[in-house]
Amino acid sequence: MSDLSVIGLHKYYGKLHVLRGLDLHIKSGEGVVLLGANGCGKSTLMRCMNGLETVQAGDISIGDQVVTQTGGRALRHLRRRVGVVFQQFNLVENLSVLQNVLYGAMGRYPGGILRVWASIAPTELRSKAMDCLERVGMADNAGSRCRELSGGQQQRVAIARMLMQEPDVILADEPVASLDPKAGREVMDLLWEVVRERRLTVFCTLHQLELATAYADRIVGMKAGEIVLDSKTEAADSEHLADLYRGNTRVDAQPATAMDDTPKNGITAHDLEAS
Amino acid sequence: MSETSSTPPTKHVSAPPPRMSSPSWFAWLILLGFGFLLFQGVQTAEISAERLWRGMNNLVIFLAQAVPPDWSDLDVIASAMLETLYMAVVGVTAGIILSLPFALLASRNTSPYPVVRVVARFMIATMRTIPDLIWALIFVVAVGLGPLAGILAIVLDTIGFAARFFSERIEEVRPGPSQALTASGAGRISVIFGAILPETLASMAATSLYSVEKAIRSAVTLGLVGAGGIGVELSTSMRLFQYDKAFAIILIVLVAVIGFEQISSAIRKRVI
């Protein structure tokens, strides 16, 4: 089972209260898009989901495993089941496309890097990586270095790496925010196709309302560290969606100076987004 | 005269900052201290026209005795030069290999514990701060005269230099790829070798080549304190006033070092 659930989640950076009591449940196989303005805590929530950040209160669980209470080996075991797609693709640019895809399988084997290094990896692993590349239409570029690829191509390779991982749940943090509209559409199409094929659970943050309504089963909206909207895509009306970007949206804005962008505690909303 | 130029400058709400600002008291203090040291330094050197003139004469005498260079002991010089190259190659290879673990322990993003990082940084800084000639003196005491002392001195000198640059490069690697591998459940060591080191290889190769150049230059001088290599021959012939032989040695050194720098910079261009 790969239900995703968040119960009473609170997260602080120092004194800054970033996530202010979140409750969310995503059913296995559901595609949920998370919307919200810059600095509302979206990325922080994503990072908490696979244990890259510790939380101060509340629980996150994937299937029957509680992310917030595991650590060490068990957490690594859990992370294997969660594929992540990043805004900046996060490929190792100096290495070949095939090597980057093979890295997707690294967590599965005890030998770690020795098992998936392209020159010594077992043949079946290499051919599986080629299958994944085939699926995203990048098999012809298997030998190129990642730095030679365009943004859209890099994100395709990142999706192939994610497929190689054989996850149950996918977290996608602004997967198309660094791409032009056309490449963004193509990547979203591809991502949703593979997700539907494998009946994976997806939790995806996006910036563009039109993309959200086009792909999501359900839309969740965040504003200033709280979930303020949660509805089926058909039922989400544009007025409510537009409201997500109005007024006091940031977690670091103080009530008295709601429109002020000055950082507090040395952490700016930009840091939260970028991290 | 046009109308615009005759109008007085517009009144601004806030005045522009002053054209000049006085240096801070700290800057004055530094300047004063520096001036004092400079003055004292010139005094200590006891520079006089008479001394400079005498020095110039001695230099001419040296050159007159040195030219033509004495090539009669070419076989001895050549084998000493070869020994120097061996010292540099062995020392720098060991140094580079040892630099990698030091650099990994000393970098913020790869060090297991902050304490380890502080200790590693301190060790690297010590190896760098103490000059190679002093290391050679210490190792001559420890392992006796000969190339081994020189090799050990080069090893430490290389670590002090290369580990620092490796570590700086490692800390500059963008965190994204390591984060991606961590998020997929990979272990720490796998992340370091899979995502961090591949991004630093080119820069490390360049640093290593530069270390080789540096090692050859220092291997030449290490012989002056008896740590093997061509420096031993040079210091002997200088002491015996065999300036023509010394000149031959200096020429050989010049050719070898320049030749090696050429090769190394050619390789570096291909790597980067």
Side-chain angles (χ1 to χ4, degrees), chain A residues 48-60:
Chain A
C48 291
M49 288 276 194
N50 62 351
L52 285 176
E53 295 279 352
T54 54
V55 301
Q56 276 71 37
D59 276 326
I60 297 172

Side-chain angles (χ1 to χ4, degrees), chain B residues 104-122 171 188:
Chain B
L104 287 173
L105 292 176
S107 305
R108 210 177 310 111
N109 45 351
T110 51
S111 182
Y113 303 103
V115 178
V116 175
R117 175 167 175 254
V118 172
V119 172
R121 292 207 95 116
F122 177 75
E171 289 187 344
R188 217 183 152 77

Side-chain angles (χ1 to χ4, degrees), chain B residues 95 98-108 111 116-131 135 155-168 170-171:
Chain B
L98 290 173
S99 289
L100 195 61
F102 268 106
L104 287 173
L105 292 176
S107 305
R108 210 177 310 111
S111 182
V116 175
R117 175 167 175 254
V118 172
V119 172
R121 292 207 95 116
F122 177 75
M123 289 172 71
I124 295 170
T126 310
M127 288 187 250
R128 185 178 55 246
T129 321
I130 297 179
W135 282 125
V155 169
L156 292 203
D157 201 44
T158 303
I159 297 176
F161 169 80
R164 180 200 172 175
F165 281 99
F166 285 3
S167 143
E168 275 173 9
I170 288 171
E171 289 187 344

